[in-house]
Amino acid sequence: PLPQEELEHLNEANADINRGELELDAARSAYRRILSESARKLNSQGSQLGNCIERARPYYEARRRAKEAQQETQRAALRYERAVGMHNAAREMVFVAEQGVAAGKNRLDPTWQEMLNHATRKVNEAEEERVRSEREHQRVTRLCQEAEAEVQALQKSLKRVILRSKPYFELKAQFNQILEEHKSKVTSLESRVSQAKTRYSVALRNLEQISEQIHARRLQRLLQRRESPVGAESSPRHSSTESRGADLGAECPAGDSLSVLSLQTVASDLQKFDSVEHLVGISDAASLGSDELGERERRRSLRHHRSVSL
């Protein structure tokens, strides 16, 4: 890639990093503000309702555990269905391999024998996975049923305090949802900033490699110029001068292979404000030199005139 392209990639990644970090700081500040506000409002609500919140908390904890057990049961059911599908596919493969081996022309074919052995191993592995997933599904289903039974029992025994503490836990659920949305936004911004930093590192590494390649080519050309061929001393002086000019012209790199160091030097020079007052002194010195030359010529002519008159 050209240095200009990599510089553009570097600038784009830098802009994305700055913009993403600003948005990330704003999102984190909003998350902390909402968390503080929710804690303050929940504390105020809890002070109004009294101890009914702590008495009803086991019911809500049991509901949370029941919900988690239900989700785990669904995941176990999906794993069991997948294991059953793999077992059926492996059995079909064994059936096809057995039919191929049973044919008269393929009875001694090692390819069909290898296929049958492979299909048999797949069937055994799929059978083990099916049995294991079935046991796991039964276990989590039993836990889910126990959690549901606990929720029903607590609901009957704590019905009055559950109704009294309902506003507190509803407000808590609302704040939890809002905080979860802001948390996902913060996570997304962190991922975007991380990707931008990765692109910045890649572009910087590419620029360093380009600079090293350019310097290596310059060093190679310099070494080639220093190696003079046999009989170079007998060549005319003007030809050596012309060849030196040609070498100097060849030494200049192409426009598309400018090094990063030269670009940085130009950029730093553009940022400096040098004074030009010393140029006025140089011009005055030149004019003063011309005046002194004229004065010397006049004195020489005057001295010549005196010698002639004598």
Side-chain angles (χ1 to χ4, degrees):
L2 298 177
Q4 186 64 28
E5 296 178 359
E6 293 300 330
L7 284 174
E8 291 178 358
H9 295 165
L10 191 70
N11 293 331
E12 291 176 359
N14 189 20
D16 292 340
I17 290 172
N18 295 332
R19 183 166 55 251
E21 287 182 347
L22 290 176
E23 295 179 2
L24 181 60
D25 291 340
R28 286 174 176 172
S29 299
Y31 179 83
R32 289 192 295 267
R33 185 178 64 255
I34 294 174
L35 181 61
S36 177
E37 183 179 358
S38 61
R40 182 176 55 81
K41 289 185 178 181
L42 286 175
N43 190 16
S44 176
Q45 187 74 19
S47 62
Q48 294 177 3
L49 296 176
N51 61 351
C52 64
I53 297 174
E54 294 299 327
R55 294 176 59 187
R57 195 177 295 278
Y59 167 74
Y60 291 98
E61 292 292 333
R63 285 192 61 181
R64 181 182 58 81
R65 291 192 297 269
K67 185 177 180 179
E68 293 177 355
Q70 185 179 4
Q71 294 176 355
E72 185 64 26
T73 303
Q74 293 176 357
R75 289 192 291 267
L78 291 176
R79 288 194 296 268
Y80 175 72
E81 292 178 359
R82 191 180 301 111
V84 170
M86 292 177 61
H87 183 259
N88 294 333
R91 292 180 60 183
E92 292 179 0
M93 187 182 298
V94 168
F95 177 76
V96 172
E98 289 177 349
Q99 292 294 326
V101 172
K105 60 181 180 179
N106 297 327
R107 189 177 300 277
L108 300 178
D109 191 354
T111 304
W112 284 98
Q113 293 291 337
E114 182 65 24
M115 180 179 178
L116 180 60
N117 295 333
H118 179 71
T120 304
R121 288 196 301 269
K122 286 295 183 182
V123 168
N124 295 332
E125 293 175 359
E127 179 67 20
E128 294 177 358
E129 179 64 24
R130 185 184 67 82
V131 173
R132 184 166 53 251
S133 60
E134 183 178 4
R135 291 176 181 175
E136 181 66 17
H137 181 262
Q138 292 175 356
R139 185 184 69 83
V140 296
T141 301
R142 184 173 61 255
L143 292 177
C144 182
Q145 292 174 355
E146 293 175 357
E148 288 291 341
E150 184 182 4
V151 168
Q152 296 296 329
L154 290 174
Q155 186 175 0
K156 290 180 181 180
S157 61
L158 301 175
K159 186 176 181 180
R160 298 184 66 180
V161 293
I162 290 172
L163 292 176
R164 290 181 58 187
S165 62
K166 184 178 179 180
Y168 174 85
F169 288 98
E170 287 180 348
L171 184 63
K172 181 176 180 294
Q174 293 177 3
F175 283 126
N176 285 336
Q177 184 178 1
I178 295 173
L179 288 173
E180 189 65 26
E181 293 176 355
H182 280 76
K183 185 177 180 180
S184 62
K185 183 179 180 181
V186 169
T187 304
S188 176
L189 289 173
E190 287 177 350
S191 177
R192 195 174 74 182
V193 170
S194 178
Q195 293 175 1
K197 289 182 178 180
T198 302
R199 289 188 286 109
Y200 183 88
S201 300
V202 171
L204 188 61
R205 193 181 308 115
N206 291 337
L207 283 172
E208 292 177 353
Q209 292 178 357
I210 291 171
S211 178
E212 292 176 358
Q213 292 173 2
I214 292 173
H215 287 297
R217 287 197 296 268
R218 287 180 174 177
L219 181 60
Q220 185 178 5
R221 287 196 296 267
L222 182 60
L223 293 176
Q224 290 176 356
R225 286 197 304 270
R226 289 183 177 179
E227 293 177 356
S228 59
V230 179
E233 292 81 359
S234 60
S235 59
R237 183 173 298 180
H238 63 86
S239 62
S240 62
T241 307
E242 293 177 356
S243 61
R244 187 181 303 173
D247 292 338
L248 290 176
E251 185 181 358
C252 297
D256 56 348
S257 60
L258 290 175
S259 64
V260 181
L261 296 178
S262 62
L263 293 176
Q264 294 177 354
T265 305
V266 172
S268 61
D269 289 340
L270 289 176
Q271 295 177 357
K272 297 177 181 178
F273 298 94
D274 295 333
S275 176
V276 293
E277 296 177 356
H278 60 280
L279 298 179
V280 179
I282 293 175
S283 61
D284 293 340
S287 61
L288 181 59
S290 62
D291 293 340
E292 289 179 355
L293 289 176
E295 183 65 25
R296 290 178 181 177
E297 291 294 334
R298 285 195 298 270
R299 290 179 179 177
R300 186 178 301 171
S301 60
L302 181 58
R303 187 177 301 169
H304 179 68
H305 178 69
R306 290 179 180 175
S307 61
V308 172
S309 60
L310 292 174

